């Protein structure tokens, strides 16, 4: 592929607005579950019948009898703890997702407009690929013992950004050869201005999908960290922590493990399906 | 004859002197009754038309009959649906296309055939070789495997016999190489061998000699003749090359150009094989007869950079690295004097767009210098400084991408003003209205998005955007190649008028010699990255009514 | 039609006669082999440098952030002097650059440094690391096989129900964190049905006593990654479906399966290889987490202890091992890419 090719044969054009509306309608059935689940998880603390640290029943008591989902390892109400346990996870995941997406959107466009910066960012992604995120989080948590949640958030942002930059750069590359970007270069616009005015408005689909993906990834990282007891500490109610704490009593009261597991899984799944609905469609296959 | 009615001449006498029976489609003169040679009809097309969902015609209703043992040429301007017709015979239509009439191949109605039968037909009776056979060969398979995949006889001998029949050398290990290691002519013959391997009854060829030199073209013509005669193969070839038609066709079918504008197919990858002046995938509607360029006797001498104007001196640009490295421009000079009009013409792949991008500062040359009014000009636009950035503006090629789809026309026009002038917001709005009026668009267009504009309207907005900063030099890259002829003329007339009024110099890259002749004073002809001719358009581009004879 | 007289003939100079004749076949292939070796060496060097860069970053990050092994392992009552003595004992008082070069130069010899408790990191990891590698490796093989099969199945029926079901299932699968999936698997396959052992028991050699103990950890790791890679395979095949030679193969009347496997898949392999190689990190990291749940005798147990004991060297050593393993997979992916790049000259 030569430079001439990219400069002369660019067919990149945003879908027309009616087309966008049609796509939105198709995506709706996949967006609603995510919205409902997020709303329920955030409203949870106000709906909980008990506080998170008051024992109300026997250790690993079975479901029913004043505790909808039974008791946990200290006889606390699993249902109440479940309702409390989502807010912070969702909040942190949102923060990580937003930070990674915003950084990647800017850096990804910069990588395309400035090839030299692009090569450096590409190398950074090569390096980041070699560090499993779980190990990365352990490292940060170790080196920053009092970091708590912030250590996890920092680690997740640093580790997630290089990959996200690649995604944005790949989507922005064809746009960078579009006539309107070249016209902007010709009149002397700065890279930041081109990014904000010309590129990002046409990358809405990619950026939205990226945010969803990073949110899901953040849920994975935060919950895994919590499971490894990095971040939230007992007696906090946290879904991942609940899974770990109640695992020994899984036979006595399976709900104490199953309910938080299902909550984490549902959070990730609903958001991921919503993301896939918002993602720009790949070209339909035209079969002969 | 009605321009919309495709004609078919009757075959000439089948006396073996086929080379001079190539038909003149004008009047069907010279059609004698032919001998009682049995003519098996292999394909029969009755009123076949193809339309896209939007109503644009890819193919106007056409009639054709293809006989066994005969070569039928399909002629017509680009955009007349030659490829569409060939693919329709394979039962392949663009997604969503609707058809009129019928296409029968070997007794099957191919457009209404179930998948299994259609696949069997394609696999055993039909064969198609496309315009760019090099890209149609699997780059990861050896020649031997490519040919064997569709062959009836998959033995080593069988495959090599086929390769030999297509006059490919066997001695130097060619059968074990991959397509990437072959020349363009070899790739074409491998594609032909693969097509023939299934021993088809109908061979469909799309521009079988595009980009080949005369010697090779004659060889292909002989090969086709040989195949038709010895195998009783029916050949239908889309062809714009009168030499080839003359050399081997028994029958000729001329297709009319559909009146409705056809969306040009996406431009294929830049051909490594430069085509013989034929713009690939671009729609041209010649308004006058064909044009040829007088050969240049003297080599082009270097010019001294002028003191008033934009000049490029000894520009060399290479693409790729290592083995894939090739010269896009080789020591090219170009001067665009202030207020002048200059065109750069040449076939696709000749480097004309690259040259324009070098002037624009969007491509950085490997060597060579740029000057503006005699002073050195930085090669990268980013480093040229605000005022020089203002003085040179570009109008991009593709009307679909020339405007940001997410921003209104008003925003697109106001932005250059905000960047380069000190106008207040109110003054900018007033200026946007003036600019729209200047390019002949209604002022209500300020709130429109590009998706709501036609291609011509978008190019007008692009002109207004470039003029907003009052540039001295306007660089235009094939700005009318995707527009229909009337719109193209209107856009070019507008450009000529506004540039003349403001004294703006115009550099026009085009593959269309008429455009160059009509709108510019000086023409530069590029071939394979070299400047092969330069001079006054009136003397260099001469209007003739016939295609120039090949040497 | 416009025709250029000069140069038109030259433009078509693609005749084999004018193309440079290839040299003697043997010299040609030797030349090619030399070139390939050179390229392979360059790739190897680049990957090694990237690994070294990662280790440098890890080492520096650990140093810059507050807290070190001496304070971390100190007991609450230790005096400042005691901590300083510990620091000196562990060599933490030497300059950063010196410690880094010492650590880095020792790595190739298999010396991963000394843990905060004074033990050799290499000794601590000698038994658990192969177990983790086996777990992640088995999950990797399963992921490759399953995602190729499912991706091809979906691509063979574009837009139909199979395609949609596979697509949504894949999206669902890769969202579930592996430890959540593992919990669910234990509940269903072990506690409710009793089919599989819930906990891994190590035998005398430190390996899992029975192969059935591997099933659930491997599934928990492979299912999310299969979801992710199925989508990559599907997307890569979709891109290839538009390639001219795939279109030509379809017009040649070849069967859907043949077009997919012989013509589309080879071109999609570079993208697929990159995607799957990217999964290696997720598999290794996930293995560490899932191991703690199943009590699998791998790195998970060691690292959990390292986190609790604030043992930075131990974790840095693990990062080095994991990075080396991932580098090997990336090199394999480079090989696949080079083989299928298509230039094939």
């Amino acid at each position: 592929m030569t430079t001439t090719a990219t400069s002369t044969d660019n067919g990149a054009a945003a879908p027309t607005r009616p087309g966008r509306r049609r796509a939105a309608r198709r995506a709706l059935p996949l967006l609603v579950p995510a919205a409902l689940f997020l709303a329920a998880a955030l409203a949870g603390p106000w709906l909980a019948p008990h506080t998170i640290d008051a024992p109300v029943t026997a250790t690993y008591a079975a479901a029913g009898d004043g505790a909808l989902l039974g008791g946990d390892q200290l006889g606390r109400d699993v249902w109440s703890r479940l309702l409390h346990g989502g807010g912070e996870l969702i909040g942190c995941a949102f923060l990580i997702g937003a930070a990674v997406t915003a950084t990647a959107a800017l850096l990804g466009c910069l990588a395309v407009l400035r090839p030299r910066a692009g090569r450096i960012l590409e190398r950074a992604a090569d390096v980041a690929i070699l560090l499993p995120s779980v190990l990365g989080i352990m490292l940060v948590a170790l080196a920053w013992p009092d970091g708590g949640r912030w250590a996890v958030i920092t680690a997740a942002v640093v580790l997630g950004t290089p990959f996200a930059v690649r995604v944005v750069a790949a989507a922005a590359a064809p746009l960078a050869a579009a006539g309107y970007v070249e016209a902007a270069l010709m009149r002397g616009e700065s890279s930041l201005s081109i990014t904000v005015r010309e590129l990002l408005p046409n990358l809405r689909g990619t950026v939205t999908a990226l945010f969803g993906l990073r949110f899901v990834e953040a849920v994975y990282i935060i919950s895994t960290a919590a499971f490894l007891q990095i971040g939230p500490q007992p007696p906090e109610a946290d879904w991942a922590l609940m899974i770990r704490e109640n695992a020994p009593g899984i036979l006595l009261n399976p709900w104490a493990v199953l309910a938080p597991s299902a909550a984490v899984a549902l959070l990730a799944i609903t958001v991921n399906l919503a993301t896939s609905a918002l993602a720009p469609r790949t070209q339909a296959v035209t079969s002969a | 004859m009605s321009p919309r009615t495709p004609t078919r001449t009757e075959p000439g006498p089948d006396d073996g002197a086929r080379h001079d029976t190539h038909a003149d489609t004008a009047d069907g003169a010279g059609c004698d009754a032919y001998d009682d040679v049995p003519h098996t009809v292999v394909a029969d097309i009755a009123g076949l038309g193809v339309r896209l969902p939007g109503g644009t015609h890819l193919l106007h209703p056409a009639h054709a009959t293809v006989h066994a043992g005969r070569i039928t040429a399909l002629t017509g301007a680009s955009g007349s649906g030659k490829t569409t017709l060939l693919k329709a015979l394979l039962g392949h239509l663009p997604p969503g296309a609707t058809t009129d009439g019928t296409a029968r191949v070997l007794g099957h109605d191919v457009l209404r055939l179930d998948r299994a039968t259609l696949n069997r037909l394609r696999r055993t009776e039909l064969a198609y070789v496309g315009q760019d056979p090099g890209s149609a060969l699997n780059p990861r398979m050896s020649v031997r495997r490519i040919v064997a995949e569709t062959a009836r006889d998959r033995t080593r001998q069988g495959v090599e016999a086929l390769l030999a029949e297509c006059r490919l050398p066997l001695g130097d290990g060619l059968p074990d190489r991959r397509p990437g290691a072959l020349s363009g002519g070899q790739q074409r013959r491998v594609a032909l061998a693969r097509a023939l391997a299934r021993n088809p009854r109908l061979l469909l060829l799309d521009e079988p000699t595009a980009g080949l030199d005369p010697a090779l073209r004659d060889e292909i013509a002989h090969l086709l003749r040989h195949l038709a005669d010895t195998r009783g193969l029916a050949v239908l070839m889309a062809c714009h090359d009168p030499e080839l038609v003359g050399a081997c066709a028994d029958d000729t079918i001329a297709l009319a150009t559909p009146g409705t504008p056809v969306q040009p197919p996406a431009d294929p990858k830049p051909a490594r094989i430069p085509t013989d002046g034929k713009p690939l995938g671009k729609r041209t509607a010649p308004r006058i007869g064909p044009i040829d360029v007088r050969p240049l006797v003297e080599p082009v001498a270097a010019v001294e950079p002028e003191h008033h104007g934009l000049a490029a001196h000894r520009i060399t640009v290479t693409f790729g690295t290592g083995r894939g490295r090739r010269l896009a421009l080789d020591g090219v000079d170009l001067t665009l004097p202030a207020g002048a009009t200059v065109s750069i013409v040449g076939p696709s792949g000749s480097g004309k767009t690259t040259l324009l991008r070098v002037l624009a500062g969007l491509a950085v040359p490997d060597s060579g210098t740029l000057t503006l009014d005699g002073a050195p000009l930085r090669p990268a636009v980013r480093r040229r400084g605000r005022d020089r950035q203002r003085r040179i503006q570009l109008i991009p090629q593709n009307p679909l991408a020339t405007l940001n789809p997410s921003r209104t026309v008003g925003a697109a026009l106001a932005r250059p003003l905000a960047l380069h002038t000190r106008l207040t917001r109110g003054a900018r709005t007033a200026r946007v209205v003036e600019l729209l009026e200047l390019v002949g668009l209604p002022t209500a267009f300020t709130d429109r998005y590009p998706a709501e504009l036609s291609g011509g309207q978008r190019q007008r907005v692009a002109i207004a955007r470039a003029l907003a900063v009052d540039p001295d030099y306007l660089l235009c890259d094939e700005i009318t190649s995707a527009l229909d002829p009337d719109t193209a003329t209107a856009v070019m007339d507008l450009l000529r008028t506004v540039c003349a009024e403001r004294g703006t110099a115009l550099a026009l890259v085009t593959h269309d010699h008429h455009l160059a002749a009509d709108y510019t004073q000086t023409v530069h002809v590029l071939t394979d990255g070299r400047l092969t001719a330069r001079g006054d358009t009136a003397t260099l581009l001469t209007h003739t009514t016939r295609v120039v004879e090949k040497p | 039609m416009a025709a250029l007289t000069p140069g038109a003939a030259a433009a078509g100079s693609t005749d084999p006669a004018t193309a440079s004749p290839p040299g003697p076949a043997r010299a040609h292939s030797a030349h090619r082999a030399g070139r390939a070796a050179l390229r392979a060496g360059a790739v190897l060097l680049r990957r090694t440098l990237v690994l070294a860069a990662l280790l440098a970053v890890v080492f520096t990050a650990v140093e810059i952030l507050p807290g070190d092994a001496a304070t971390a392992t100190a007991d609450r009552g230790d005096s400042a002097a005691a901590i300083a003595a510990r620091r000196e004992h562990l060599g933490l008082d030497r300059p950063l650059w010196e410690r880094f070069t010492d650590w880095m130069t020792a790595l190739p010899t298999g010396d991963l440094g000394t843990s905060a408790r004074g033990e050799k990191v290499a000794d601590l990891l000698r038994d658990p690391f192969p177990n983790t590698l086996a777990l992640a490796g088995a999950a990797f093989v399963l992921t490759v096989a399953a995602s190729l099969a499912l991706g091809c199945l979906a691509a063979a029926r574009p837009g139909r129900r199979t395609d949609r079901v596979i697509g949504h299932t894949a999206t669902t699968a890769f969202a579930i964190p592996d430890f959540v999936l593992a919990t669910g698997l234990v509940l269903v396959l072990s506690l409710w049905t009793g089919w599989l052992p819930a906990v891994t028991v190590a035998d005398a050699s430190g390996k899992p006593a029975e192969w059935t103990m591997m099933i659930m950890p491997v599934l928990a790791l492979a299912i999310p990654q299969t979801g992710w890679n199925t989508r990559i395979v599907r997307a890569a095949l979709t891109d290839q479906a538009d390639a001219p030679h795939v279109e030509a193969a379809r017009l040649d009347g070849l069967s859907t399966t043949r077009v997919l496997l012989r013509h589309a898949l080879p071109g999609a392999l570079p993208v697929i290889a990159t995607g799957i190689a990217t999964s290696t990190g997720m598999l290794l990291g996930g293995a560490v987490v899932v191991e703690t749940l199943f009590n699998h005798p791998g790195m998970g147990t060691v690292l959990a202890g390292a986190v609790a004991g604030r043992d930075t060297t131990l974790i840095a050593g693990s990062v080095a091992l994991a990075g080396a393993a991932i580098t090997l997979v990336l090199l394999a992916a480079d090989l696949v890419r080079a083989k299928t790049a298509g230039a094939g000259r």
Side-chain angles (χ1 to χ4, degrees), chain B residues 29-151:
Chain B
C31 63
D32 306 44
Y34 35 93
D35 306 345
D36 47 357
V37 174
H39 278 74
T40 323
V41 175
V42 174
D44 183 47
I45 291 168
L48 180 70
V50 179
R51 257 171 313 156
L52 283 180
T56 44
H57 283 263
L58 290 177
L59 173 68
H60 267 293
H63 297 268
T65 314
V66 182
H67 299 273
R70 297 181 72 85
I71 298 177
T72 310
L74 199 57
T75 62
S78 56
S80 59
K82 297 192 292 277
T83 305
T84 309
L85 189 136
L86 291 181
K87 288 202 174 166
L89 285 176
L90 288 163
H92 177 81
L93 294 171
T98 51
T99 56
D100 307 317
T102 54
R104 298 188 75 81
V105 176
L106 297 163
H108 298 282
D109 184 353
V110 282
L111 296 173
R112 285 160 194 85
L113 219 48
D114 66 281
R115 243 205 117 74
T117 320
L118 182 64
N119 261 353
R120 198 160 56 240
L121 197 66
R122 286 174 177 179
R123 184 74 184 72
T124 55
E125 311 287 357
L126 308 180
Y128 171 77
V129 180
Q131 264 192 34
D132 182 10
S135 72
L137 300 174
N138 189 332
R140 295 165 195 88
M141 282 165 87
S142 68
V143 168
R144 192 187 297 285
R145 281 178 58 210
I146 285 171
V147 175
E149 188 177 32
T150 56

Side-chain angles (χ1 to χ4, degrees), chain A residues 241-258:
Chain A
L241 204 56
M242 284 167 75
I243 298 175
R244 185 172 187 124
E245 287 172 345
N246 297 327
I250 195 168
L251 275 181
L252 296 168
N253 180 14
W255 287 114
V257 177
L258 202 57

Side-chain angles (χ1 to χ4, degrees), chain C residues 282-296:
Chain C
M282 294 295 287
L283 285 172
L284 273 176
V288 168
V289 179
V290 169
E291 278 169 358
T292 59
L293 198 82
F294 289 97
N295 214 12
H296 193 90

Side-chain angles (χ1 to χ4, degrees), chain A residues 143-239:
Chain A
W144 187 5
D146 314 319
R149 286 243 184 231
W150 291 107
V152 176
I153 290 173
T154 311
V157 171
V158 170
L159 292 173
T161 302
F163 175 76
V165 169
R166 257 189 197 176
V167 173
V168 176
L175 293 187
Y180 54 87
V181 175
E182 303 206 318
L185 278 169
M186 288 300 295
R187 65 173 177 259
E189 297 271 10
S190 67
S191 293
L192 184 67
S193 168
I194 293 177
T195 299
V196 173
R197 286 167 206 277
E198 315 289 348
L199 292 177
L200 287 182
N202 297 307
L203 290 173
R204 275 176 297 220
T206 305
V207 172
T208 316
L210 181 65
F211 172 73
L213 208 57
R214 294 330 295 180
F215 183 89
V216 172
E217 185 69 22
V219 168
Y220 172 81
I221 290 187
I222 301 168
S223 59
T224 301
F227 183 78
L228 295 171
Q229 287 166 323
I230 300 167
Q233 298 297 322
E236 260 181 83
D238 178 280
W239 291 340

